[in-house]
């Protein structure tokens, strides 16, 4: 007669059965196999396999040792965060008549010292430049006081800007612009020493060999070195391939740090990866980019990986993209705000969602995510200021709220 | 006791009770101070950083540092009390059950106080760090988080009370 094992099994077997069920939860999943099958070398496989162990580490004890190296800087960055512009500030600014008024309102905020010496006919680019300068100063102060692994983390934050700068200079050179003009337009956080030499390169192999091999971007190039000459299409593909490699590298780095940093940064980076996947899909609808090429540009982590990517790769218009995204609850709310055919509000909706997640990073203490969140929130603020200044300068104040994302 | 465990139990019983008592006193002060120092640096680094943008928080938030410091003072007080409990007994009576009991009581008291203060110092330190950061953003939060810290510092007090009660048991056999 059977059916009564439950009464006596656990006397001898209960503990071991629980142990073996715990081990079973560590079996590799379909996502892990997909990751492994995309590895290039056995070293990559080793790295992926070690990542599957470290993510399951218990965390919660950062509070005991984080402050040894990171306590001061975390407090500094939280202080900086309290200086971000609020909704009231944005309302004041959006009611300004001229750029001089904007300068006056900003002088009451933390941007004051940076703008006060500007001579009278102000341009929007000057305002944006000075505000970016403030961000760069704060970043450099934090970087020079940081120890490992925080210093590497802070450097990772700037690689995205480096990629943008590289693409800017290469595209500009292609269109016969002057190098110095291009250098002025580069984002200061992404500058590196040999950046001016980029103008000399004719194809990607030279680009890599002459300049990029000495920069931190070197490991991201292995997938996209070809000898083709650079043209607009190639450059966009190069940008997206580099960015994909950068995001995956950053993600692995955060997983290696473990603990609260890994959890919070995974969430933020996964959203970034998904957002880029959607943007790549929408921007490549109707171009010559094949489905396989499109699939190669998607990152190998995030909520949409791997099934969402399969569906996005075959989407041919925005409504199909919407149908794919509505299957994922976190993105349903973004896409439900759009009426059919609207893609301009999509950008703003994505920015709002990003800002929401970045603000959540500050809810927890003793992790590095606050640094990343602060840098991104500042960049959003600078984008807001640029939009408001442009609207004021062109006398279109009614359109101010089209694109301003409030942070608090 | 018979069997293979008897050699261990004999070895333990033959360690002088003064050893146990001295180690207990060392743990009481040493580990308490470890807890206090740990808590102070956790609070202090956050406090210094937060005070860069909000200098008004410095004087109020020193309370968190003082709570951590109190933990070290508890350790010192109990160590002094324990060392007054050490008495000499004639060598014929060192391994009497009474002596062993006194030695173990002082050892236990030291461990109780030391480890209770260790975790208390950690607790107060972590809360103090959050308190400094929150106060820098919104000064109405200070008093509320201070209440949490007060509950946290009660943990050290529990340890001291039980430790002192334990040490009251430490009566060595009388001479003669």
């Amino acid at each position: 007669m059977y059916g009564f094992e439950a009464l006596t099994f656990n006397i001898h077997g209960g503990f071991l059965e629980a142990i073996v069920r715990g081990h079973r939860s560590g079996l590799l999943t379909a996502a892990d196999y997909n990751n492994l099958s995309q590895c290039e070398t056995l070293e990559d496989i080793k790295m992926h396999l070690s990542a599957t162990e470290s993510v399951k580490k218990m965390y919660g004890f950062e509070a005991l040792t984080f402050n040894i190296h990171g306590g001061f800087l975390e407090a500094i960055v939280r202080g900086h965060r309290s200086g971000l512009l609020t909704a009231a500030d944005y309302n004041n600014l959006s009611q300004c008549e001229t750029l001089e008024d904007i300068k006056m309102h900003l002088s009451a905020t933390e941007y004051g010292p940076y703008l006060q010496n500007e001579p009278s006919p102000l341009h929007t680019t000057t305002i944006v430049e000075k505000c970016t300068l403030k961000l760069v100063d704060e970043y450099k102060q934090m970087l020079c006081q940081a120890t490992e692994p925080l210093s590497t983390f802070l450097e990772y934050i700037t690689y995205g800007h480096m990629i943008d700068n590289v693409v800017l200079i290469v595209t500009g050179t292609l269109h016969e612009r002057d190098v110095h003009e291009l250098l002025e337009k580069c984002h200061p956080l992404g500058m590196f020493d040999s950046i001016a030499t980029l103008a000399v390169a004719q194809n990607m192999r030279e680009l890599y060999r002459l300049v990029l091999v000495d920069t931190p971007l070197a490991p991201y190039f292995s997938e996209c070195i070809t000898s083709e000459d650079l043209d607009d299409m190639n450059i966009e593909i190069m940008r997206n391939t580099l960015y994909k490699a950068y995001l995956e590298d950053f993600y692995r780095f955060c997983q290696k740090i473990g603990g609260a940093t890994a959890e919070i940064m995974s969430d933020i980076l996964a959203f970034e990866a998904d957002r880029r996947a959607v943007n790549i899909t929408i921007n490549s609808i109707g171009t010559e980019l094949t489905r396989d090429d499109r699939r190669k540009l998607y990152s190998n982590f995030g909520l949409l990986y791997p099934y969402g990517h399969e569906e996005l790769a075959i989407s041919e218009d925005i409504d199909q993209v919407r149908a794919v995204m509505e299957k994922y609850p976190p993105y349903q709310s973004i896409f439900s705000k759009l009426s059919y055919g609207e893609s301009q509000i999509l950008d703003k909706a994505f920015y709002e969602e990003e800002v929401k997640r970045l603000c959540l990073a500050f809810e927890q203490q003793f992790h590095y995510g606050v640094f990343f969140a602060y840098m991104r929130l500042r960049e959003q603020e600078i984008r807001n200021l640029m939009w408001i200044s442009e609207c004021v300068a062109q006398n279109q104040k009614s359109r101010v709220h089209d694109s301003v994302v409030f942070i608090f | 006791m018979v069997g293979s465990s008897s050699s261990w139990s004999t070895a333990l019983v033959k360690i002088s009770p003064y050893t146990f008592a001295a180690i207990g006193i060392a743990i009481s002060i040493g580990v308490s101070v470890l807890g206090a120092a740990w808590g102070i640096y956790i609070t202090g680094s956050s406090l210094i950083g937060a005070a860069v943008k909000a200098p008004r928080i410095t004087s109020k938030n020193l309370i968190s540092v003082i709570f951590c410091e109190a933990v070290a003072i508890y350790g010192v007080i109990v160590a002094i009390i324990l060392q007054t409990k050490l008495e000499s007994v004639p060598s014929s009576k060192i391994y009497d059950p009474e002596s062993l009991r006194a030695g173990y009581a002082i050892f236990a008291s030291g461990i109780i106080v030391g480890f209770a203060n260790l975790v208390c110092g950690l607790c107060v330190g972590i809360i103090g760090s959050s308190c400094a950061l929150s106060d820098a953003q919104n000064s109405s939060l200070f008093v509320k988080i201070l209440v949490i810290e007060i509950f946290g510092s009660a943990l050290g007090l529990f340890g001291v009370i039980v430790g002192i009660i334990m040490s009251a048991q430490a009566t060595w056999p009388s001479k003669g």
Side-chain angles (χ1 to χ4, degrees):
Chain A
M1 183 171 75
Y2 96 94
F4 292 90
E5 295 89 10
L7 298 178
T8 51
F9 181 85
N10 275 12
I11 302 174
H12 295 291
F15 177 67
L16 287 174
E17 183 189 3
I19 294 269
V20 81
R21 284 181 184 272
H23 286 317
R24 173 203 171 282
S25 70
L27 288 169
L28 299 180
T29 64
D32 292 318
Y33 286 123
N34 274 322
N35 273 345
L36 287 172
S37 59
Q38 286 169 12
C39 289
E40 301 286 323
T41 69
L42 291 176
E43 302 302 319
D44 284 344
I45 290 191
K46 172 179 152 193
M47 192 176 56
H48 275 285
L49 286 176
S50 57
T52 56
E53 303 303 311
S54 64
V55 173
K56 294 174 175 57
K57 209 161 50 181
M58 186 174 70
Y59 88 88
F61 294 92
E62 295 89 13
L64 300 179
T65 50
F66 182 87
N67 274 13
I68 303 174
H69 295 292
F72 177 68
L73 283 176
E74 181 185 2
I76 293 268
V77 87
R78 282 176 187 269
H80 286 320
R81 172 198 174 274
S82 67
L84 286 170
L85 300 179
T86 63
D89 291 318
Y90 287 126
N91 279 328
N92 279 342
L93 286 172
S94 55
Q95 286 165 9
C96 289
E97 298 290 330
T98 70
L99 291 180
E100 302 301 324
D101 285 344
I102 289 191
K103 174 178 158 186
M104 188 183 68
H105 273 114
L106 285 179
S107 59
T109 68
E110 292 188 351
Y111 289 112
Y114 287 85
L115 284 176
Q116 69 189 19
N117 290 327
E118 289 304 306
S120 202
L122 269 187
H123 299 284
T124 56
T125 49
T126 322
I127 296 183
V128 170
E129 210 181 284
K130 294 299 167 192
C131 296
T132 313
L133 189 61
K134 173 175 188 291
L135 174 61
V136 172
D137 282 345
E138 288 172 356
Y139 173 78
K140 290 202 170 128
Q141 274 175 357
M142 290 195 293
L143 184 62
C144 70
Q145 294 186 58
T147 62
E148 290 293 333
L150 179 56
S151 53
T152 312
F153 186 89
L154 287 174
E155 283 171 10
Y156 264 98
I157 299 179
T158 63
Y159 293 167
H161 292 297
M162 264 189 218
I163 294 174
D164 287 337
N165 285 352
V166 166
V167 169
L168 181 73
I169 292 191
V170 169
T171 316
T173 312
L174 200 62
H175 294 261
E176 323 261 324
R177 299 260 152 72
D178 179 37
V179 172
H180 293 289
E181 209 185 293
L182 294 171
L183 282 177
E184 282 177 22
K185 290 202 183 146
C186 285
H187 198 285
L189 279 178
M191 297 298 269
F192 50 93
D193 283 338
S194 45
I195 193 170
T197 332
L198 284 170
V200 175
Q202 300 287 0
N203 60 34
M204 286 188 216
R205 204 174 284 282
E206 274 187 22
L207 201 62
Y208 178 72
R209 197 174 51 86
L210 290 178
V211 183
L212 294 167
V213 68
D214 292 325
T215 64
L217 298 179
Y220 305 151
F221 261 82
S222 56
E223 293 190 24
C224 63
I225 299 185
T226 63
S227 300
E228 292 170 13
D229 274 351
L230 299 165
D231 64 36
D232 280 324
M233 179 75 149
N234 282 349
I235 293 178
E236 273 310 302
I237 295 185
M238 178 177 84
R239 180 212 296 268
N240 285 311
T241 319
L242 283 178
Y243 210 89
K244 168 192 170 182
Y246 155 62
L247 272 184
E248 289 172 4
D249 194 24
F250 198 5
Y251 185 76
R252 275 196 298 264
F253 177 71
C254 292
Q255 298 290 71
K256 204 168 61 135
I257 296 182
T261 303
E263 178 173 326
I264 291 173
M265 287 305 296
S266 311
D267 185 48
I268 297 178
L269 289 177
F271 178 74
E272 179 77 17
D274 292 337
R275 177 168 83 161
R276 286 193 79 84
V278 171
N279 281 337
I280 288 173
T281 312
I282 292 182
N283 289 337
S284 63
I285 291 174
T287 66
E288 316 148 346
L289 197 62
T290 66
R291 289 176 181 181
D292 286 332
D293 282 341
R294 210 197 269 179
R295 275 227 66 213
K296 275 196 278 193
L297 295 176
Y298 298 149
S299 306
N300 64 359
F301 64 96
L303 205 55
L304 290 176
Y305 171 83
Y307 306 111
H309 288 168
E310 304 280 337
E311 296 183 16
L312 277 180
I314 60 177
S315 301
E316 294 299 335
D317 64 45
I318 294 190
D319 292 329
Q320 287 182 2
V321 171
R322 171 206 294 278
V324 171
M325 298 304 283
E326 283 185 346
K327 295 185 197 158
Y328 293 88
Y331 303 134
Q332 220 169 21
S333 53
I334 299 180
F335 278 81
S336 63
K337 279 191 239 170
L338 304 176
S339 49
Y340 280 91
E342 285 267 9
S343 68
Q344 196 204 11
I345 324 184
L346 184 61
D347 275 346
K348 182 176 181 198
F350 271 133
Y351 280 133
E352 278 174 353
E353 178 73 19
E354 186 189 12
V355 162
K356 219 168 50 165
R357 287 171 191 237
L358 292 174
C359 287
L360 284 177
F362 285 94
E363 300 290 312
Q364 214 174 331
Q365 220 182 318
F366 309 119
H367 62 89
Y368 296 141
V370 287
F371 295 96
F372 182 83
Y374 170 69
M375 301 290 291
R376 281 296 170 95
L377 285 173
R378 264 289 177 216
E379 287 168 18
Q380 178 62 44
E381 184 177 277
I382 293 177
R383 273 197 290 269
N384 287 347
L385 284 176
M386 180 174 76
W387 179 260
I388 293 178
S389 311
E390 288 287 348
C391 286
V392 163
Q394 293 172 16
N395 247 325
Q396 298 216 21
K397 293 204 301 199
S398 55
R399 295 195 58 197
V400 162
H401 289 283
D402 280 352
S403 197
V404 170
V405 177
F406 292 141
I407 298 179
F408 311 117
Chain B
M1 263 203 280
V2 292
S4 58
S5 56
S6 64
S7 55
W8 280 109
S9 62
T10 315
L12 275 174
V13 162
K14 286 299 183 191
I15 297 179
S16 161
Y18 292 122
T19 312
F20 278 110
I23 292 178
I25 296 173
I27 290 180
S28 133
I29 177 67
V31 177
S32 301
V33 168
L34 173 66
W38 203 329
I40 289 180
Y41 91 67
I42 292 179
T43 294
S45 53
S46 291
L47 180 53
I48 294 175
V52 169
K53 276 291 164 84
R56 59 181 164 80
I57 68 169
T58 41
S59 25
K60 272 198 296 187
N61 279 279
L62 285 179
I63 290 183
S64 305
V65 177
I66 292 174
F67 274 125
C68 288
E69 173 73 20
V71 152
I73 293 178
Y74 297 156
V76 172
I77 291 175
V78 171
I80 292 177
I81 291 177
L82 290 180
Q83 68 87 24
T84 58
K85 300 276 180 196
L86 279 176
E87 292 169 11
S88 310
V89 292
S91 42
S92 58
K93 295 209 179 183
I94 284 191
Y95 293 108
D96 278 2
E98 275 298 305
S99 287
L100 292 179
R101 178 177 177 239
Y104 296 156
I106 298 180
F107 178 60
S109 175
I111 292 186
I112 291 168
V113 170
F115 287 98
N117 285 338
L118 171 65
V119 293
C120 172
L122 274 174
C123 169
V124 174
I126 294 173
I127 299 176
S129 150
S130 304
C131 185
L133 294 178
S134 317
D135 190 15
Q137 305 276 337
N138 178 357
S139 40
S140 66
L141 290 175
F142 175 70
V143 176
K144 301 181 173 119
I145 301 186
L146 199 62
V147 172
I148 305 178
E149 261 186 76
I150 292 173
F151 278 107
S153 68
L155 299 174
L157 220 41
F158 298 157
V160 170
I161 292 172
V162 174
I164 291 185
I165 294 176
M166 269 306 284
S167 71
Q169 308 242 336
T171 45
W172 301 86
S174 45
K175 303 187 205 313

